[in-house]
Amino acid sequence: MDALADDFKNKAAINNNGALEESCKTAAADTPDKKSKTKATAQGGEAQVEKNGDAEAEGDDDEDDEEEEANGAPTATASKKKKKKKNNKKKKKTQTEPPTIPLSVLFPSKIYPEGEICQYKDDNLWRTTDEEKRALEKKNFDDYNDARRAAEVHRQVRKYARKNIKPGMTMTEICEMIENGTRTLVEANGFDSGIAFPTGCSLNHCAAHYTPNAGDKIVLQYGDVCKIDFGVHVNGRIIDSAFTMTFDPVYDNLLAAVKDATNTGIAAAGIDVRLGDIGAEIQEVMESYEVEIGGKTYQVKPIRNLTGHSIERYKIHGTKAVPIVNNGDPTKMEEGDYFAIETFGSTGRGIVRYDMETSHYGRAFDVPKIPIRLPRAKTLFETINREFGTLPFCRRYLDRLGEEKYLLALKSLCDSGHVEGYPPLVDVKGSYTAQYEHTFVLKPTCKEVLSRGDDY
């Protein structure tokens, strides 16, 4: 600003006429506004990120205006249109419907959102501020970030699914909607990232492990209770989360009971907590609910032979099971454990059994040292090993890879123990079952519910 004032003085000395003096007065009167604009530009975060070319161009325009005023040229300030400030701030991209933008594009920093942070309490409260635990947590950041990426994919895909699943859709359409969205958002790439296990869409008395095989014509009805259970993985770090969809409000209390029970189990979980104690709290909450269906009142029962589970890398079911009833299990949760707390409520007996056609399969984690003699079974196993490893798969996934006439070979692999089949799990016919599930990690300083969202 001082240099500008000196310039005006020098011009005034050389050009000693009234018009020039009037121009200098006009320029000097404009100076405070320019100064305040300069100050605002220096302080504003957005102005600092403007391209140099744009800034220089604006500067040149200002100098041209000043020269015109100094030479007595007509300015017509009152009628002059104010220049609009260029806004070069990039708009944050938002997800499309259906979801088609990969998560890495939405989060170019490759840092993904945290889940729900729950502070430890009582005997573990010291962990929150312990420097050694904080350092360990920073060391494991990449692992947590992989899980958060998978969790964000799950949130965005299920948001679309919950909005668009409607009666009249086939179960195949529902599963393909979810799986196509998952593959796109996570940028499915073999064992680096992809679907963690087949999409479950079990109906009514079927509690789990149903996904349609080729040719399945089942259509979702208004009176159905549909459990949507799907998983996403990044570098083998699996997010396992499920919810229940209904369209008839008669089932509201059934869903409320199971959701409350799942949240109770998550709240009770922590380092050194016994698994049986968590099951006891889940059972107490679940059984406190009743639901009236068709004029008959049912106490909501936890399905006692279904459990939550620990999750290991590339292994959906780890070595620890989280009961949903009080079974007295003294096993403790430990620092670093990943768990899926999932609870199932039923209006039936509260016990499930195998029934219906098998659709879920998985390669044995510890492959038996038995040679595969059937040539077709051997080539099929090579495909399974190459494409899925220890991650579960379904027959639709084999169809998608172009495998044909594989049922006999698949049965042979199951018989030899190289592959395990997971048939649908059902309660008594006429009953209704519901499910809610979340994945969390027991970090050194806090518990993080990775898959938590605004929906559940």
Side-chain angles (χ1 to χ4, degrees), residues 64-197:
D64 292 343
D65 292 342
E66 287 165 4
E67 286 178 7
E68 287 175 6
E69 290 179 41
N71 292 324
T75 58
T77 306
S79 60
K80 202 172 189 180
K81 290 183 180 179
K82 291 184 179 179
K83 293 181 181 179
K84 291 184 179 178
K85 237 183 180 182
K86 292 182 180 179
N87 185 7
N88 292 320
K89 186 178 180 182
K90 291 183 179 179
K91 290 183 178 179
K92 185 178 179 181
K93 290 190 176 182
T94 56
Q95 190 54 264
T96 58
E97 287 194 10
T100 58
I101 303 176
L103 211 65
S104 63
V105 176
L106 296 178
F107 296 89
S109 67
K110 305 299 187 289
I111 306 298
Y112 301 99
E114 287 185 339
E116 178 188 28
I117 301 298
C118 306
Q119 300 299 337
Y120 292 131
K121 52 189 177 181
D122 301 331
D123 292 342
N124 282 318
L125 184 60
W126 62 273
R127 292 174 169 274
T128 305
T129 55
D130 185 80
E131 288 302 321
E132 185 179 339
K133 296 302 181 185
R134 285 173 179 267
L136 182 57
E137 203 158 287
K138 288 180 181 178
K139 184 180 177 181
N140 293 329
F141 175 79
D142 289 344
D143 195 42
Y144 303 144
N145 200 47
D146 284 345
R148 289 166 185 160
R149 178 181 165 197
E152 182 62 22
V153 169
H154 199 287
R155 276 189 290 271
Q156 293 195 17
V157 171
R158 79 188 190 223
K159 178 181 179 182
Y160 179 77
R162 286 166 67 84
K163 183 178 177 181
N164 289 277
I165 293 174
K166 297 287 188 294
M169 297 178 70
T170 67
M171 307 315 292
T172 300
E173 287 173 336
I174 292 170
C175 289
E176 288 182 349
M177 174 203 298
I178 292 168
E179 290 164 355
N180 289 339
T182 299
R183 290 188 183 102
T184 300
L185 267 59
V186 81
E187 296 169 278
N189 182 27
F191 297 129
D192 291 340
S193 58
I195 293 172
F197 52 84

Side-chain angles (χ1 to χ4, degrees), residues 364-413:
F365 203 78
D366 297 314
V367 178
K369 296 179 180 179
I370 302 172
I372 302 172
R373 302 192 182 281
L374 195 66
R376 182 68 183 93
K378 190 172 184 179
T379 57
L380 180 62
F381 186 70
E382 288 171 357
T383 299
I384 292 169
N385 210 30
R386 181 182 66 249
E387 298 292 334
F388 311 113
T390 55
L391 295 172
F393 62 94
C394 64
R395 283 157 56 173
R396 283 186 298 104
Y397 295 178
L398 293 176
D399 298 337
R400 190 171 182 270
L401 292 171
E403 290 289 336
E404 297 177 343
K405 299 178 180 178
Y406 55 77
L407 289 180
L408 183 60
L410 187 57
K411 182 180 183 303
S412 175
L413 291 173

